[in-house]
Amino acid sequence: MDEEWFWMQLEQKYGQVSLHLKNILRLQSLCRQSLANLTEERIGHIEHDMRSMAECLTEEANAGGTPLREIYGLQFAKNPERFRFLAGEVMCLLDLAQIMRDHSATSFIRPLKKAKACLSQHPEPVANPCIDRLLDNLRRKITLHIRSLTSRNDLMEKVHKMAAKVYLTNAGQYKATIICPFCEAKPSKITLSMDVTGSWHIFGFKRHYNTFHSSLPDSMAEPVIKRSKNDTKKESNGKIC
């Protein structure tokens, strides 16, 4: 199911839903018709799941993944192992479940013609309003990584001009292909994936950079002028020609 379309339809009927609630439902694979089966008891099970996932999600956040505040909310971002839904959040989740029960499942599925365009045999660029945001997030993450490694403006300029595109696979997963901005003789194409929380994984790019470009100097070095022994002797005697 197209999650962007799913949330657009659901929020039209309910109103805006907090980002961290969306991410939790995404982690639980509930951005679909099965959300209709949500009950207070099952919400308790989700709370338990989120507490047990705290260590894993914290490690991922520290590695550049989705910030914990976008998963656990501001109240529990610093203590995810103690996570629980607030009373209002429980009411919100139950209301969303009721909306799903009150409407046909097809109400939350993108019309067939557009779905076929996304599920073509060969991946195509994503044709929906989130494409620019997804690309911006990817470029920002790669830019921050390179900036942490070098202060060279010429290298940062190459990153800004980096060719990249996002597409939706047949399995419904967002992926991206980028052309390494530092490869000159033979440009390398690198495929990157986005996880269920909406965070780009750029490990493939990091591995490529460390393998082929880690020797790039941090700053442009001045050319070294080689001098003969005779020149050195003349300088030491104060006789510079």
Side-chain angles (χ1 to χ4, degrees):
M1 180 178 287
D2 186 331
E3 287 188 14
E4 290 290 332
W5 181 267
F6 172 84
W7 282 113
M8 183 172 69
Q9 299 304 309
L10 190 54
E11 288 186 315
Q12 282 181 356
K13 297 173 176 62
Y14 174 82
Q16 186 173 0
V17 179
S18 298
L19 176 60
H20 74 283
L21 293 183
K22 290 182 181 180
N23 283 333
I24 288 175
L25 293 177
R26 186 177 293 116
L27 284 169
Q28 295 285 328
S29 298
L30 287 176
C31 297
R32 58 193 68 198
Q33 184 61 28
S34 53
L35 178 59
N37 299 320
L38 197 62
T39 62
E40 286 196 50
E41 181 181 0
R42 287 170 176 165
I43 288 175
H45 295 163
I46 292 175
E47 288 178 328
H48 179 271
D49 285 346
M50 296 308 299
R51 288 192 291 268
S52 65
M53 295 168 64
E55 183 177 356
C56 175
L57 292 175
T58 298
E59 290 179 358
E60 186 171 304
N62 292 337
T66 304
L68 292 182
R69 66 178 179 276
E70 295 182 9
I71 300 176
Y72 291 95
L74 292 175
Q75 292 83 359
F76 294 98
K78 294 183 178 180
N79 296 291
E81 64 281 351
R82 301 178 62 182
F83 173 78
R84 63 177 178 81
F85 289 112
L86 302 181
E89 293 172 342
V90 173
M91 293 173 62
C92 171
L93 293 173
L94 292 175
D95 285 346
L96 295 178
Q98 186 62 50
I99 291 173
M100 294 295 295
R101 289 192 290 271
D102 292 343
H103 294 80
S104 168
T106 56
S107 302
F108 305 95
I109 299 176
R110 187 183 290 273
L112 186 58
K113 288 184 179 180
K114 293 185 178 180
K116 283 185 176 180
C118 290
L119 299 177
S120 58
Q121 185 174 1
H122 300 288
E124 296 291 339
V126 179
N128 63 48
C130 74
I131 179 66
D132 291 335
R133 176 175 57 82
L134 295 177
L135 269 175
D136 287 344
N137 290 345
L138 176 60
R139 289 182 184 278
R140 186 180 304 112
K141 193 164 187 176
I142 292 177
T143 298
L144 290 174
H145 175 66
I146 295 300
R147 192 178 296 280
S148 70
L149 301 176
T150 179
S151 59
R152 284 179 55 175
N153 291 331
D154 59 324
L155 296 184
M156 297 309 304
E157 185 64 25
K158 288 185 177 182
V159 175
H160 294 326
K161 295 179 179 179
M162 176 183 66
K165 71 174 182 178
V166 172
Y167 59 90
L168 193 63
T169 67
N170 290 347
Q173 181 185 16
Y174 285 119
K175 288 195 174 185
T177 56
I178 65 172
I179 303 299
C180 176
F182 307 117
C183 289
E184 296 181 357
K186 186 179 180 181
S188 299
K189 181 184 291 186
I190 304 168
T191 300
L192 305 173
S193 299
M194 188 173 69
D195 65 20
V196 294
T197 67
S199 178
W200 286 107
H201 288 300
I202 63 171
F203 302 120
F205 174 78
K206 290 180 179 179
R207 182 169 57 249
H208 172 84
Y209 184 91
N210 291 338
T211 302
F212 298 102
H213 307 298
S214 59
S215 60
L216 288 172
D218 184 62
S219 60
M220 296 297 289
E222 293 294 331
V224 177
I225 301 175
K226 294 184 178 180
R227 298 180 177 181
S228 65
K229 292 182 179 180
N230 290 334
D231 290 336
T232 303
K233 289 181 179 179
K234 290 178 181 179
E235 287 184 5
S236 63
N237 293 328
K239 299 177 181 179
I240 303 177
C241 297

